[in-house]
């Protein structure tokens, strides 16, 4: 047992330390893995968004020269193509042509899809800044937001088509496109794991989108990526092909440097884990894992402790049982030896005198009684084990029980020369009890009072009704002696089976150590208890407390 304890005491802290370290390493790896996954998700978010932008750009890119009316027909076809092929067709809100006339001022023509025609309109406020455009080199105006596609159409009379303006629907982007992409790349089970914000690169205070308030102004982010650019290389294949079309130039130009990092796009996507940061999320996971594994270790330690305690208890019980067997055998041997030798003497005719024969007879009777009392106790103890209920309670008058017990012990009391004071309250209520068991309990207490009553040879037996301050009314049965008393250190143990005070063992007073445990068992089985008061050298008083029987309806 000791070596098991030592092994556990050594192993548990070792396991705890190893667990702590390994979980630390696992967390570091987990943090790196989550970081990589997050960065890749952010990049894919940007790429997917840009793919839609680029598709819009390439769909409405004017490739063939022609008159405006011809162009209008072509754009009607393009719109149809866009509506059927784009993932989010409603992200394109309006289409315009900017046309420079002979006087050098720009006119704005709006495309009307129903009529498949361009109509001149006044410059709306959102496009006012394009009024002075000459030759657009920048394909994106993210503050509108709009795509500007340079025109390669031939001059039409005095006027010249400068560019096609594809105006994007910002509300649709914010309410449909971005949330859909966020769910696609940053959600698990339709629940966003990350908080997102999109700000304009040229003005980080300008928040385009955010999942929570004040998100854009936070200091740290788990991932940052750029988006909103025309990535023609993704649509048009090899760079040489693009070079020929003069598109690479545009793509290259729009990669603007912010000074912090070279990111594509006009907008910046900021991503942070819901629990504050990726670091925090991993730390939370680590704390949870540590709590679980330390909990398991604690449970293990408790189980080992429990095993040690219960096996200690089992060993103690086995030792006490051995002591009991040895004690009982010893106790049995003495009366048996006396009975045998007295019997032999009588049988051999050694004793003739009538007086002597009577003495032998009473000797054999007394020893026989002692034997049967001990056998009774052992049997009762065996019967009192948990799960067995040998008692049959019914309403009983205590006076009868007391008198029967005194009657049974009369001989012993008379031989010992005991003075017995009996005090039984008149009109004592009935108790619900097994009369025979109660009598045995009382006899055990009387037997102890006789055994341990010393020279004073005085016993009091009282029965009365009591109303304790706490609890309901009860009937008490007290056996008091003026004997040797019980040392304070033993009082708490005398009700344990097989326990005998070392003083009485030393004084060679015979007994099995079972009597009081049986008294307690009988009292408890009747819903009562046993109490004891004792002063060493002055005497003891044992009281059985029993609940009063409920009055039966008659
Ligand atoms: P036993 O009397 O066979 O030893 P019990 O269970 O009846 O076993 O009593 C347990 C112990 O309690 C006794 O060994 C004795 O030390 C102590 N004891 C019980 N009754 C008395 C008493 N009336 N006076 C003093 N000691 C007592």
């Amino acid at each position: 047992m000791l070596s098991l304890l030592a092994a556990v005491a050594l192993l548990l802290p070792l396991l705890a330390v190893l667990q702590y370290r390994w979980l630390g390493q696992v967390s570091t790896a987990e943090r790196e893995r989550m970081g990589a996954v997050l960065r890749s998700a952010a990049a894919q978010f940007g790429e997917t968004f840009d793919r839609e932008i680029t598709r819009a750009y390439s769909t409405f890119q004017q490739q063939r020269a022609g008159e405006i009316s011809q162009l209008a027909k072509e754009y009607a076809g393009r719109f149809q193509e866009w509506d059927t092929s784009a993932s989010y067709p409603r992200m394109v809100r309006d289409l315009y042509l900017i046309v420079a006339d002979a006087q050098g001022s720009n006119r704005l023509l709006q495309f009307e899809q129903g009529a498949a025609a361009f109509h001149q309109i006044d410059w709306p406020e959102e496009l006012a800044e394009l009024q002075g455009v000459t030759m657009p080199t920048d394909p994106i105006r993210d503050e509108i937001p709009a795509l500007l596609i340079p025109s390669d159409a031939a001059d039409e009379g005095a006027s010249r088509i400068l560019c096609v303006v594809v105006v994007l629907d910002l509300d649709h982007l914010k309410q449909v496109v971005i949330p859909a992409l966020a769910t696609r790349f940053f959600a698990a089970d339709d629940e966003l794991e990350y908080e997102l914000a999109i700000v304009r690169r040229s003005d980080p205070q300008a928040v385009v989108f955010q999942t929570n308030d004040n998100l854009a102004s936070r200091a740290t982010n788990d991932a940052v990526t750029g988006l909103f650019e025309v990535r023609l290389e993704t649509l048009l294949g090899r760079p040489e092909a693009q070079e020929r079309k003069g598109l690479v130039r545009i793509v290259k130009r729009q990669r603007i440097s912010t000074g912090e990092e070279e990111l594509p796009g006009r907008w910046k996507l900021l991503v942070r884990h819901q629990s504050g940061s990726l670091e925090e999320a991993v730390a939370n996971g680590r704390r949870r894992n540590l709590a679980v594994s330390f909990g398991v270790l604690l449970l293990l330690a408790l189980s080992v402790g429990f095993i040690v305690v219960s096996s200690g208890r089992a060993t103690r019980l086995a030792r006490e049982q051995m002591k009991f067997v040895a004690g009982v055998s010893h106790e049995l041997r003495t009366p048996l030896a006396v009975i045998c030798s007295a019997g032999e003497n009588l049988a051999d005719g050694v004793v003739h005198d009538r007086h002597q024969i009577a003495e032998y007879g009473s000797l054999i009777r007394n020893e026989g009684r002692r034997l049967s009392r001990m056998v009774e106790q052992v049997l009762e103890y065996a019967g009192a084990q948990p799960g067995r209920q040998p008692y049959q309670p019914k309403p009983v008058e205590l006076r009868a029980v007391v008198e029967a017990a005194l009657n049974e012990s009369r001989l012993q009391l008379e031989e010992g020369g005991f003075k017995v004071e009996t005090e039984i309250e008149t009109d004592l209520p009935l108790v619900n009890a097994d009369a025979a068991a109660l009598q045995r309990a009382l006899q055990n207490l009387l037997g102890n009072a006789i055994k341990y009553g010393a020279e004073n040879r005085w016993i009091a037996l009282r029965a009365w009704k009591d109303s304790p301050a706490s609890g309901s009314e009860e009937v008490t049965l007290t056996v008091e002696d003026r004997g040797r008393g019980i040392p304070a250190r033993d009082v708490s143990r005398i009700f344990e089976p097989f326990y005998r005070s070392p003083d009485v063992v030393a004084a060679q007073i015979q007994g099995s150590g079972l009597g009081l445990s049986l008294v307690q068992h009988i009292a408890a089985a009747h819903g009562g208890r046993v109490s004891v008061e004792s002063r060493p050298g002055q005497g003891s008083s044992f009281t059985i407390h029993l609940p009063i029987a409920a009055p039966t309806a008659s």
Side-chain angles (χ1 to χ4, degrees):
M1 191 54 72
L2 264 180
S3 51
L4 171 71
L5 267 181
V8 169
L10 215 77
L11 271 177
L12 281 185
L14 188 73
L15 281 177
V17 170
L18 286 179
Q19 191 85 306
Y20 186 81
R21 283 221 190 128
W22 284 337
L23 280 179
Q25 286 169 5
V26 168
S27 304
T28 313
E30 177 67 2
R31 194 171 47 233
E32 279 163 16
R33 189 193 64 81
M34 279 175 81
V37 169
L38 178 63
R39 281 191 294 279
S40 143
Q44 282 183 52
F45 182 103
E47 275 163 24
T48 312
F49 184 84
D50 288 351
R51 197 175 309 131
E52 298 306 319
I53 297 294
T54 308
R55 188 182 294 181
Y57 187 94
S58 70
T59 302
F60 297 106
Q61 195 178 24
Q62 184 201 339
Q63 284 159 357
R64 265 171 288 159
E67 292 179 359
I68 288 179
S69 56
Q70 269 180 335
L71 213 59
K73 277 202 198 81
E74 198 178 323
Y75 273 116
R78 299 271 177 92
F79 251 117
Q80 242 166 24
E81 179 194 331
W82 170 253
D83 281 346
T84 51
S85 68
S87 308
Y88 306 97
R90 280 191 47 217
M91 67 186 254
V92 169
R93 198 190 69 200
D94 282 307
L95 191 83
Y96 299 95
L97 286 185
I98 299 180
V99 179
D101 59 20
Q103 287 81 45
S105 61
N106 287 348
R107 285 185 296 129
L108 185 69
L109 308 182
Q110 186 176 25
F111 180 70
E112 210 180 298
Q113 214 181 336
F118 282 102
H119 298 292
Q120 181 168 348
I121 57 160
D122 290 339
W123 284 91
E125 204 178 325
E126 62 169 355
L127 298 182
E129 60 177 295
L130 301 177
Q131 218 165 337
V133 148
T134 48
M135 181 63 203
T137 50
D138 189 350
I140 288 180
R141 292 295 172 100
D142 71 304
E143 67 282 9
I144 299 176
L147 307 176
L148 259 58
I149 310 170
S151 162
D152 46 9
D155 292 357
E156 189 192 72
S159 47
R160 189 163 62 87
I161 300 171
L162 286 180
C163 68
V164 180
V165 180
V166 180
V167 175
L168 301 176
D169 187 339
L170 186 58
D171 287 338
H172 188 70
L173 287 180
K174 286 204 291 203
Q175 283 156 21
V176 178
V177 182
I178 295 173
L181 294 182
T183 312
R184 184 162 148 201
F185 293 109
F186 299 111
D189 300 331
D190 276 349
E191 192 77 27
L192 273 189
E193 280 185 325
Y194 293 90
E195 296 170 338
L196 312 180
I198 294 176
V199 294
R200 285 179 54 202
R201 183 73 68 80
S202 54
D203 176 12
Q205 301 305 320
V207 179
V208 179
F209 171 88
Q210 58 184 354
T211 50
N212 304 36
D213 284 347
N214 301 326
L215 213 66
S217 53
R218 67 215 170 168
T220 53
N221 295 294
D222 294 321
V224 177
T225 193
L227 72 162
F228 203 1
E229 70 161 325
V230 179
R231 301 194 195 188
L232 285 165
E233 77 271 24
T234 59
L235 279 188
L236 300 178
R238 291 174 299 123
E240 308 88 77
Q242 300 160 19
E243 198 76 67
R244 266 204 307 284
K245 293 189 165 146
L247 293 171
V248 169
R249 209 170 7 95
I250 297 171
V251 174
K252 276 183 184 157
R253 213 175 11 246
Q254 72 199 16
R255 282 182 189 274
I256 54 171
S257 169
T258 59
E260 47 171 348
E261 73 247 78
E262 177 99 3
L263 286 172
R266 309 309 165 92
W267 289 348
K268 198 156 74 166
L269 171 71
L270 314 172
V271 191
R272 188 176 64 170
H273 197 275
Q274 292 281 17
S275 48
S277 70
L278 214 57
E279 205 87 5
E280 193 66 31
V282 173
N284 283 347
R286 182 174 183 218
R287 270 197 288 278
R288 269 198 303 275
N289 283 343
L290 277 177
V292 169
S293 43
F294 282 157
V296 170
L297 288 183
L298 191 71
L299 206 68
L300 203 71
L302 286 180
S303 324
V304 170
F306 178 73
I307 290 173
V308 169
V309 168
S310 57
S311 74
R313 239 185 236 156
T315 320
R316 216 168 38 241
L317 192 68
R319 208 179 295 134
E320 290 201 333
Q321 279 172 339
M322 283 308 296
K323 222 165 73 190
F324 163 72
V325 171
V328 167
S329 315
H330 178 75
E331 296 303 323
L332 292 177
R333 222 168 31 207
T334 324
L336 279 177
V338 172
I339 290 170
C340 287
S341 65
E344 258 168 39
N345 286 354
L346 284 174
D348 294 350
V350 179
V351 188
H352 303 289
D353 183 352
R354 270 181 71 80
H355 182 66
Q356 263 188 325
I357 292 175
E359 256 180 29
Y360 270 80
S362 79
L363 192 69
I364 291 172
R365 185 191 56 204
N366 287 350
E367 292 304 317
R369 278 208 183 115
R370 221 168 91 191
L371 263 180
S372 68
R373 211 171 28 249
M374 212 173 294
V375 171
E376 280 301 317
Q377 279 189 343
V378 173
L379 286 179
E380 178 124 26
Y381 176 72
Q385 293 313 297
R388 296 182 62 176
Q389 179 51 278
Y391 307 125
Q392 282 151 5
K394 41 181 169 291
V396 167
E397 217 183 309
L398 273 189
R399 182 181 291 274
V401 175
V402 171
E403 280 168 3
L406 276 174
N407 220 18
E408 276 295 311
S409 309
R410 172 141 301 135
L411 242 145
Q412 260 183 297
L413 289 164
E414 279 172 4
E415 280 171 4
F418 276 84
K419 180 175 187 292
V420 182
E421 282 178 18
T422 316
E423 201 181 307
I424 301 173
E425 201 179 298
T426 44
D427 297 335
L428 210 54
L430 299 181
V431 290
N432 209 19
D434 181 323
L438 207 55
Q439 185 186 326
R440 282 200 299 279
L442 206 54
Q443 270 172 246
N444 267 312
L445 292 182
L446 277 172
N448 280 354
I450 295 168
K451 260 198 294 188
Y452 307 114
E455 298 81 41
N456 280 316
R457 301 176 190 283
W458 177 92
I459 294 173
L461 216 161
R462 291 187 209 98
W464 75 94
K465 197 174 105 180
D466 199 10
S467 312
S470 59
S472 50
E473 289 191 327
E474 56 184 22
V475 174
T476 56
L477 261 176
T478 302
V479 178
E480 190 182 340
D481 64 58
R482 291 184 183 151
R484 55 172 38 237
I486 306 163
R489 62 165 197 280
D490 291 332
V491 171
S492 60
R493 299 201 61 193
I494 52 175
F495 292 98
E496 290 176 18
F498 312 119
Y499 184 80
R500 305 203 69 218
S501 167
D503 295 4
V504 307
V505 177
Q508 296 200 323
I509 302 177
Q510 291 151 351
S512 61
L514 280 175
L516 286 182
S517 93
L518 288 174
V519 174
Q520 193 182 44
H521 176 81
I522 291 170
H526 288 89
R529 65 193 167 91
V530 186
S531 64
V532 57
E533 276 172 38
S534 182
R535 264 176 297 174
Q538 294 190 29
S540 319
S541 152
F542 286 86
T543 303
I544 300 177
H545 306 250
L546 292 170
I548 293 172
T552 45
S554 55

